[in-house]
Amino acid sequence: MHDGIRRFVVIWAAQLLSIIGSSLTGFVLGVWVYQRNGSATEFVLIMLCAVLPEVLLSPLAGSLADRWDRRRMLMAADAGAAAVTGALALLLVYGSLEVWHVYVITVAGAVFGTFHMAAYHAMMPLIMPQWHLGRANGLMQVADSVKIAAPLLAGTLLVTVGVTGVVVIDLVTFLLTRAVMFAVRLPREVTRPGASAAPEPLRGDLLFGWRYLRARRGLFQLVMVLAAYNLFFGMSGVLVQPLILSFGSAAVLGALMFAGGAGVFAGGLVLSAWGGPRRRVRGVAVFVALGGVLLALHSLAPSPWLIAVVAPAFLFTLPFVQGTGMTVLQIKTDPAALGRVLSTVRALTQTATVLTYLAAGPLADRVFEPMLAPGGALSGTLGAVIGTGEGRGIAAIFLVTGLCLVLLAPLAYLRPRLRKVESELPDAEDVHAPPEPGAEPVPEDGGEATPRTTPGTDVARAAQGDSDAALSRP
């Protein structure tokens, strides 16, 4: 097995364990807050506390990931998150936990998580050879599926070991992740690929990812497609639980949420085995359109059997959109800029998620539900197709967002710069490519790296120079 693949699998497995622990804690804290006061607003506020730090701090985290040793940054972020989880455990043990503590702990954990993800996502594309990046992103989507399936496991643990037990499990996963990162040796070109270059002033560096993407129109348009996808998919994702509860019990909700998680899991496994389509941008467009059709089908009837089929099928397409899109961004981004660029991508796509959280509830409660109530404005037209009554306004949102995704796919693929981005933009240097004859090998961690020039680097630097010159022109 290639050393990079072995390292990736070991680190990915450790991070998967950490994601499981964090997802369990996040779920049980939400349940604890809701059971305490019965407030949906307080419940949604926890979600916002978890997302907003990533939107606000991702540019800073990405800049530091390109300046500092990425492995040490990841380990420090894990240590900070473990300290936050330890404080939560102490509050639970002494019976002192209050709702405001949950908000503070969620924000603090999200801050450390933002710096963790910046270092993690900047390292992982450099650990794997470029020709395996599609498979690597498939495995990373498998890890994300755990977040969807977490409620089923968390519900079981909540009954058996309680909130405190779940938090202790989360703390143990942090410690195991830190031990793995300490034990795995990583080459210098993975942890500090831009160490030989003088960094920009930090203030200008915060906008580097934005300038980098804007100078490469095809990549910028791809990011906008992914952000729009997050907006439309997220709108339905926030409302899927209320939709199911409008015609099913809590037990039905748990079973269908698990089925949805299984769909993401299966999609990630298929992507990791296949590697994704050879023409990646076209593949993203195809799966966006297919996902739109499946999302719209959620609206046809208030039936758990319908959701049991279309929800896992839709979520099966999710890794092929997000994972394949991320592969294009990784291949076309210079290794020394991965932290800043990918953090900017996360900030933009997560901004769409925040908009979803803010808009989904009011749109459902104040617009579509009244319009699809018996005698409502749309009861005789759209209501004749999807029905009227409780939950049918939410179903209408699924229909609208699904149709928006169906429309997004061809509109995106018709953009020439996006359609041709794989051929027009040069690939970044692959740190796993064999060195040129006569070049000194790059040492493992702790050694001094010898500068190495490759044809791909020359092309990338030339493209950077052309782009910067274009940006400086009025």
Side-chain angles (χ1 to χ4, degrees):
M1 182 185 292
H2 191 284
D3 286 344
I5 298 175
R6 184 181 298 108
R7 289 171 179 141
F8 176 89
V9 171
V10 171
I11 295 173
W12 172 83
Q15 297 302 317
L16 174 62
L17 192 62
S18 179
I19 289 173
I20 291 173
S22 298
S23 299
L24 295 176
T25 297
F27 178 80
V28 299
L29 284 181
V31 171
W32 185 88
V33 168
Y34 189 77
Q35 289 178 338
R36 179 108 172 183
N37 294 328
S39 171
T41 300
E42 290 184 353
F43 182 80
V44 173
L45 187 56
I46 295 176
M47 298 183 190
L48 289 175
C49 287
V51 173
L52 281 176
E54 184 170 7
V55 174
L56 299 175
L57 295 178
S58 279
L60 174 62
S63 176
L64 296 180
D66 287 340
R67 289 168 177 260
W68 296 350
D69 184 292
R70 291 167 176 171
R71 183 174 69 168
R72 292 180 181 177
M73 178 175 166
L74 189 149
M75 293 173 66
D78 277 346
V84 171
T85 306
L88 173 61
L90 289 175
L91 289 170
L92 285 167
V93 168
Y94 289 102
S96 302
L97 185 65
E98 301 290 341
V99 171
W100 71 268
H101 290 145
V102 175
Y103 297 141
V104 173
I105 286 170
T106 301
V107 169
V111 168
F112 286 115
T114 299
F115 287 90
H116 168 102
M117 295 305 291
Y120 179 56
H121 282 285
M123 282 197 313
M124 298 311 274
L126 303 180
I127 295 174
M128 288 284 278
Q130 279 189 0
W131 58 91
H132 284 308
L133 278 180
R135 294 182 171 90
N137 283 308
L139 287 175
M140 295 178 79
Q141 292 293 316
V142 167
D144 285 342
S145 70
V146 171
K147 299 176 184 178
I148 299 178
L152 190 65
L153 177 59
T156 302
L157 290 174
L158 201 55
V159 174
T160 55
V161 300
V163 177
T164 304
V166 172
V167 172
V168 170
I169 291 172
D170 187 13
L171 184 59
V172 171
T173 64
F174 275 124
L175 298 177
L176 290 174
T177 301
R178 182 175 174 84
V180 169
M181 289 305 304
F182 184 81
V184 175
R185 290 181 58 83
L186 295 172
R188 186 178 178 85
E189 67 267 23
V190 170
T191 59
R192 300 196 67 185
S196 60
E200 295 185 28
L202 184 58
R203 181 180 298 180
D205 213 21
L206 295 178
L207 295 175
F208 177 89
W210 174 263
R211 297 198 309 267
Y212 192 97
L213 292 169
R214 289 290 293 162
R216 296 155 177 81
R217 290 174 58 193
L219 289 186
F220 183 76
Q221 290 169 4
L222 175 60
V223 174
M224 291 299 99
V225 169
L226 295 177
Y229 179 83
N230 266 21
L231 180 65
F232 298 132
F233 153 64
M235 189 76 67
S236 301
V238 170
L239 296 173
V240 67
Q241 295 187 41
L243 175 69
I244 295 170
L245 289 174
S246 70
F247 55 77
S249 64
V252 170
L253 172 64
L256 292 179
M257 292 295 290
F258 180 78
V264 182
F265 184 81
L269 285 182
V270 172
L271 180 59
S272 65
W274 175 27
R278 291 185 60 185
R279 298 182 64 178
R280 296 184 177 92
V281 171
R282 184 170 67 179
V284 168
V286 168
F287 281 103
V288 166
L290 177 59
V293 172
L294 293 166
L295 199 62
L297 289 177
H298 284 67
S299 67
L300 291 184
S303 165
W305 297 108
L306 173 67
I307 305 301
V309 174
V310 296
F314 167 75
L315 291 169
F316 179 86
T317 68
L318 183 67
F320 295 95
V321 175
Q322 297 182 336
T324 304
M326 186 58 64
T327 300
V328 175
L329 291 164
Q330 291 165 346
I331 289 177
K332 300 299 180 180
T333 301
D334 184 72
L338 276 169
R340 289 164 289 179
V341 173
L342 296 185
S343 291
T344 299
V345 172
R346 285 196 302 278
L348 292 171
T349 55
Q350 288 295 78
T351 297
T353 302
V354 171
L355 294 176
T356 290
Y357 287 159
L358 295 175
L363 277 176
D365 293 337
R366 301 178 184 178
V367 180
F368 285 96
E369 280 290 301
M371 295 175 76
L372 268 299
L378 295 179
S379 61
T381 53
L382 184 58
V385 179
I386 66 173
T388 59
E390 183 185 359
R392 290 297 85 196
I394 296 175
I397 293 177
F398 275 76
L399 177 61
V400 171
T401 53
L403 294 178
C404 286
L405 287 182
V406 172
L407 183 62
L408 174 66
L411 288 179
Y413 196 66
L414 288 175
R415 306 292 293 180
R417 297 285 72 76
L418 175 56
R419 188 173 64 253
K420 300 176 182 178
V421 67
E422 294 176 81
S423 58
E424 288 186 344
L425 280 184
D427 291 351
E429 176 189 5
D430 186 357
V431 299
H432 296 282
E436 294 182 8
E440 294 292 330
V442 180
E444 293 283 319
D445 228 2
E448 291 297 325
T450 303
R452 182 177 66 177
T453 302
T454 68
T457 305
D458 290 338
V459 174
R461 288 175 180 165
Q464 175 68 52
D466 292 343
S467 301
D468 291 343
L471 285 173
S472 66
R473 291 195 294 268

